[in-house]
Amino acid sequence: MKKVIEGSMAVALAVKACRPHVISAYPITPQTHIVENLSQMVADGELKSEFVNVESEFSAASVILGASATGARAYSTTTAQGLLLMTEVLFNIAGLRLPVSLTCANRAISAPINIWCDHQDAMTVRDSGWIQLYAEDCQEAADMQLQAFKIGENPEIMLPVMVNMDGFILTHAFEPIELLDQKMADEYLPPYKPEIFLTTKNPVTFGILAEPQYYAESRYRLEEAIKASKPVIEEAASEFKRIFGRYSGGLVDKYKLDGAKTALVGMGSVVGTMREVVDEMNSHGQKSGLLKIRTYRPFPKEAIYDALKDVDNIIVMEKAISLGLGGILLNELKSIFQGKKKQPRISGFIIGLGGRDIPTQSIINAVKKVESETIEDEFIDLRTELIGAGK
Amino acid sequence: MNETTSTKKKEPIEESQVAPGHRACAGCGELLAARLVMNAAGKNVIATCATGCLEVVSSAYPQSAWKMPWIHSLFENPTAVASGVEAALKALGRENEANIIAQGGDGSTADIGIGCLSGMLERGHNVLYVCYDNEAYMNTGVQRSGLTPFEASTTTAPSGKISWGKTTDKKPMPEIAAAHGIPYVATASVGYYADLQKKVKKALTIKGPKYIQIHCPCPLGWIHDPALTIKVAQVAVQTGLIPIFEMENGVITSVRKIVKKRPVEDYLKLQGRFRHLLKKSGGEDEVKRIQAIADQNIEKYHLI
Ligand SMILES: Cc1ncc(C[n+]2csc(CCOP(=O)(O)OP(=O)(O)O)c2C)c(N)n1
Ligand SMILES: [Mg+2]
């Protein structure tokens, strides 16, 4: 059944369908509607979760950590400053191998303070050991929520999963959404039954001190697990399709890449605009395609290479920057082609920071620019009058 | 040692909920306190623990001193993690499985973890919080904390040519905890183990958040003979510097009376961290200020 609802409600309903035992979150724009919706569901008795109203995101992350370690399915949601405040706990959760899940309503990082969308928050914690999925639309954000627990709770994986959805652009968008049927959700996502958890029936010690002779092995196992999640992420999407009839997950999504000379690469809602550009280019005889990165961590190197190995020109559009290096995705993408026979030209643009609108024409202009030269780390649509003369 | 030696007679070591063989220093008051707490609490416990000496000496892989299910996450969050444990037990219908005990040092409790602690107390979780107060960040090398006493010398607030050490006194954590309107707050000392264990047992009969702060000498940080841990703890109480009391629903319901009041010098002279007060000229005036703190405590809590 399709219904026009807000993205935040779509996610809240998806979370409800996951039957989390414990939810803990702290309000921050633009994530607020998700927590408010969940709170109301609990208040109305529609959702039987323990909702722990904490005093900070640091505690929210710690609460779901404790709950998960006790054998519960646990969920949180945040963004930007809240995600950064959680950072220490995020790394800890992954190190403890606790398959919690979190929706990040992606937003820019202060200073200057800005509540609108970019990907600097989640991309900054890319090395935390969390699996990171990026949704293009509200339906994907909802569907991926179910997949998140499915992936993370796989006994071979046991990792936390972050579902990223663009703040405001998706969280506050009203779209027709296919609601998740509870019976189908239950079939897809069985109850969480961890092997090891805090119980007096089988006392275990969590959170050990690992000295130099043990630490590296623990990190190695973590790296092995997150790499091993690649096929599990694909399977979770296929299984989802089997039950719900839609494929809305996986590592990457290819659009018109067969025979394409130029490929655009992006993550999140901007992909929709990029798709329009690709269509327009093709209508002018420029053979082009699009690669949507759905799974950012683990970084799907093989799938990306496979999708882009025959193109001449790659253009990465990203909503974050590693200050002092440049485009993060750009540099990661370039590393994939290291040592390969065919070397495409790889350009990168920084777009949409702090919620700056991204008109189709801006992307078209950027694509035109790189027809003959490689451009790296150019900020699209900078207002030259604000950054000084001569620029 | 004197009147209160070890608990060996009553609790055979193999029955102890905190196993021997951990890496604590000789005479460690904190480990002694933890063992007393856990043995009083008995078998049905799930414990959380902050980063700090207690965690470091007890949980180095592949060994663990903890016989109960136990989790260490970070320095700030044993309380928030315990909140999650409690919520999970409720949601899973396992509420009656265990008492939850969250543990932290004074640095975790009074400084970096005070936000998480306050949140747990305010939300009313059914958790016993235990603060092991050894009056400094011992794990990282005796740095000042909010519970370091007035004019003790620590490595970050040392005595020096123009310094007497810490310029402020202990943060009133028991009162801060009680101000949350929680049902039970108590202070205790490893110097008085029976009282300590009685309070743990009592706390666990009460539903809601409970806070117990235990004064634990640290021979390394306080610079005293490791054989004197119990004595140092007892003398602290006998001077009035460490008042021992219970507060139920915000009202003081019991205090440990001082039978024979001792001057604060008796306490200070046992420890190197106060040596500068007794050696440097002008120190007598500072000792008087410390005596005034003890006297205020005696008056405030009716210790005599
Ligand atoms: C966020 C963070 N800051 C600092 C530290 C370093 N650190 C670890 S334990 C500790 C002091 C612990 O002091 P306390 O809580 O009093 O426990 P004690 O070791 O004295 O028992 C410090 C500063 C840390 N682990 N995490
Ligand atoms: Mg300490």
Side-chain angles (χ1 to χ4, degrees):
Chain A
M1 184 187 59
K2 270 200 178 175
K3 209 175 150 191
V4 176
I5 53 173
E6 196 191 37
S8 296
M9 180 54 98
V11 167
L13 288 169
V15 170
K16 179 180 171 223
C18 295
R19 301 186 189 272
H21 299 104
V22 176
I23 299 172
S24 185
Y26 190 82
I28 175 168
T29 306
Q31 153 267 35
T32 39
H33 291 184
I34 302 175
V35 254
E36 288 166 4
N37 287 327
L38 287 168
S39 304
Q40 192 63 54
M41 290 173 192
V42 172
D44 290 337
E46 291 164 15
L47 172 56
K48 302 239 171 320
S49 302
E50 285 296 317
F51 194 108
V52 186
N53 266 308
V54 282
E55 77 296 338
S56 75
E57 288 88 354
F58 188 91
S59 276
S62 302
V63 165
I64 61 168
L65 181 158
S68 182
T70 311
R73 182 174 286 157
Y75 170 83
S76 187
T77 171
T78 187
T79 173
Q81 309 310 122
L83 191 76
L84 293 197
L85 187 57
M86 283 183 180
T87 307
E88 193 192 11
V89 192
L90 296 179
F91 279 72
N92 201 246
I93 286 172
L96 288 166
R97 306 291 296 273
L98 298 172
V100 301
S101 161
L102 177 153
T103 307
C104 182
N106 303 101
R107 160 183 153 180
I109 295 295
S110 176
I113 192 162
N114 171 298
I115 58 170
W116 294 275
C117 174
D118 68 35
H119 292 162
Q120 193 67 57
D121 51 4
M123 288 183 85
T124 298
V125 298
R126 65 189 177 273
D127 299 332
S128 61
W130 281 61
I131 291 170
Q132 284 197 12
L133 312 175
Y134 284 75
E136 179 185 342
D137 54 32
C138 300
Q139 185 74 61
E140 266 194 2
D143 294 354
M144 280 177 174
Q145 193 51 60
L146 222 61
Q147 297 178 33
F149 282 115
K150 181 91 173 170
I151 297 161
E153 291 173 5
N154 182 309
E156 303 300 317
I157 307 302
M158 293 299 282
L159 284 176
V161 182
M162 187 184 301
V163 178
N164 290 279
M165 70 188 297
D166 286 349
F168 286 118
I169 303 170
L170 295 184
T171 54
H172 290 55
F174 280 81
E175 289 179 2
I177 296 289
E178 193 73 55
L179 299 181
L180 295 165
D181 173 73
Q182 188 63 57
K183 264 208 199 113
M184 284 151 82
D186 289 343
E187 185 193 342
Y188 180 74
L189 186 67
Y192 175 46
K193 293 248 181 304
E195 237 176 90
I196 299 169
F197 56 97
L198 293 169
T199 172
T200 50
K201 303 212 168 70
N202 176 31
V204 287
T205 291
F206 269 83
I208 46 110
L209 164 71
E211 291 170 300
Q213 67 270 36
Y214 298 114
Y215 183 81
E217 284 73 14
S218 167
R219 302 305 284 179
Y220 175 82
R221 295 283 301 268
L222 187 55
E223 167 70 353
E224 288 296 287
I226 194 162
K227 277 192 195 152
S229 72
K230 288 180 197 176
V232 173
I233 292 166
E234 298 276 27
E235 283 156 28
S238 307
E239 170 79 353
F240 190 88
K241 178 159 193 223
R242 186 182 69 75
I243 294 177
F244 294 93
R246 316 183 273 287
Y247 191 87
S248 50
L251 298 172
V252 297
D253 191 21
K254 292 178 271 191
Y255 181 67
K256 296 190 175 169
L257 275 172
D258 280 346
K261 293 264 173 267
T262 298
L264 272 66
V265 180
M267 304 199 295
S269 63
V270 71
V271 166
T273 316
M274 291 165 82
R275 199 176 275 116
E276 281 172 35
V277 172
V278 164
D279 287 346
E280 170 139 358
M281 286 165 72
N282 280 308
S283 73
H284 292 112
Q286 291 167 283
K287 292 187 70 70
S288 47
L290 169 72
L291 185 72
K292 170 165 96 177
I293 303 207
R294 266 203 184 107
T295 300
Y296 173 59
R297 283 294 182 274
F299 195 52
K301 287 190 217 174
E302 305 80 5
I304 295 174
Y305 178 72
D306 199 54
L308 300 179
K309 62 181 187 309
D310 298 324
V311 305
D312 300 329
N313 206 0
I314 297 173
I315 307 158
V316 181
M317 305 263 167
E318 60 188 305
K319 293 189 178 183
I321 182 165
S322 172
L323 297 169
L325 170 69
I328 306 168
L329 194 54
L330 169 68
N331 280 281
E332 291 173 345
L333 211 115
K334 283 203 284 188
S335 76
I336 296 176
F337 287 90
Q338 162 82 18
K340 298 285 197 255
K341 238 202 237 133
K342 178 170 170 163
Q343 289 289 325
R345 218 141 48 70
I346 306 178
S347 297
F349 294 88
I350 309 294
I351 58 167
L353 295 190
R356 178 73 57 87
D357 201 25
I358 309 163
T360 320
Q361 193 55 45
S362 300
I363 298 180
I364 293 171
N365 294 346
V367 172
K368 276 197 187 129
K369 271 191 177 174
V370 298
E371 269 166 14
S372 50
E373 54 164 339
T374 308
I375 291 178
E376 287 187 9
D377 307 328
E378 187 173 305
F379 284 55
I380 278 186
D381 290 346
L382 275 187
R383 299 182 56 187
T384 47
E385 75 275 19
L386 294 181
I387 53 175
K391 288 267 175 178
Chain B
M1 284 193 239
N2 48 26
E3 65 229 47
T4 51
T5 50
S6 79
T7 56
K8 270 182 198 155
K9 256 177 259 151
K10 283 195 170 160
E11 284 146 349
I13 206 100
E14 62 271 15
E15 296 276 297
S16 178
Q17 292 301 298
V18 183
H22 53 70
R23 304 170 174 191
C25 306
C28 173
E30 184 167 21
L31 244 289
L32 175 56
R35 210 176 77 210
L36 291 168
V37 166
M38 290 306 172
N39 288 349
K43 285 205 158 60
N44 291 331
V45 167
I46 295 178
T48 69
C49 188
T51 309
C53 279
L54 181 61
E55 160 266 327
V56 166
V57 302
S58 64
S59 67
Y61 183 81
Q63 293 172 314
S64 171
W66 304 96
K67 294 210 186 142
M68 73 295 295
W70 179 95
I71 182 167
H72 156 249
S73 168
L74 297 165
F75 190 16
E76 308 88 326
N77 68 4
T79 45
V81 171
S83 304
V85 171
E86 192 230 33
L89 290 183
K90 261 193 207 158
L92 294 163
R94 289 165 47 198
E95 260 169 305
N96 297 327
E97 183 183 311
N99 290 311
I100 304 166
I101 300 181
Q103 314 168 90
D106 49 288
S108 175
T109 306
D111 297 341
I112 204 164
I114 195 170
C116 292
L117 169 64
S118 175
M120 185 192 83
L121 300 180
E122 182 268 335
R123 290 189 299 272
H125 292 278
N126 188 22
V127 175
L128 167 60
Y129 186 77
V130 180
C131 167
Y132 300 105
D133 181 16
N134 57 19
E135 303 192 321
Y137 302 157
M138 295 313 181
N139 186 46
T140 39
V142 201
Q143 294 89 15
R144 159 220 204 274
S145 86
L147 288 184
T148 300
F150 180 63
E151 294 191 342
S153 184
T154 54
T155 55
T156 50
S159 63
K161 287 187 187 118
I162 57 162
S163 163
W164 292 106
K166 196 186 174 209
T167 55
T168 53
D169 196 22
K170 292 170 82 73
K171 197 187 273 196
M173 276 313 295
E175 279 81 359
I176 290 170
H180 288 77
I182 64 174
Y184 189 75
V185 171
T187 60
S189 162
V190 285
Y192 299 95
Y193 81 86
D195 174 72
L196 187 169
Q197 291 199 308
K198 204 175 85 193
K199 284 172 175 165
V200 171
K201 285 193 171 126
K202 176 168 172 182
L204 291 177
T205 64
I206 299 167
K207 213 169 151 74
K210 285 82 64 175
Y211 177 95
I212 300 183
Q213 181 170 314
I214 305 173
H215 196 234
C216 315
C218 167
L220 209 74
W222 296 10
I223 316 173
H224 66 73
D225 181 346
L228 295 184
T229 297
I230 300 296
K231 177 166 179 195
V232 170
Q234 289 173 344
V235 175
V237 172
Q238 289 157 6
T239 59
L241 283 172
I242 297 297
I244 302 294
F245 58 87
E246 284 177 301
M247 274 174 110
E248 291 173 71
N249 300 307
V251 182
I252 293 192
T253 49
S254 84
V255 295
R256 183 175 191 94
K257 294 284 183 190
I258 296 173
V259 182
K260 185 167 164 286
K261 180 185 166 185
R262 297 222 205 191
V264 295
E265 283 97 330
D266 282 8
Y267 179 58
L268 305 180
K269 72 185 182 206
L270 290 171
Q271 306 165 64
R273 63 176 173 158
F274 294 115
R275 189 181 299 127
H276 56 288
L277 300 174
L278 306 173
K279 290 249 163 85
K280 262 165 65 173
S281 79
E284 319 81 59
D285 289 343
E286 301 309 314
V287 172
K288 276 186 201 143
R289 295 173 73 180
I290 295 176
Q291 186 61 56
I293 293 170
D295 292 342
Q296 273 164 25
N297 282 343
I298 289 169
E299 207 182 296
K300 179 173 173 195
Y301 298 101
H302 308 288
L303 299 177
I304 292 179

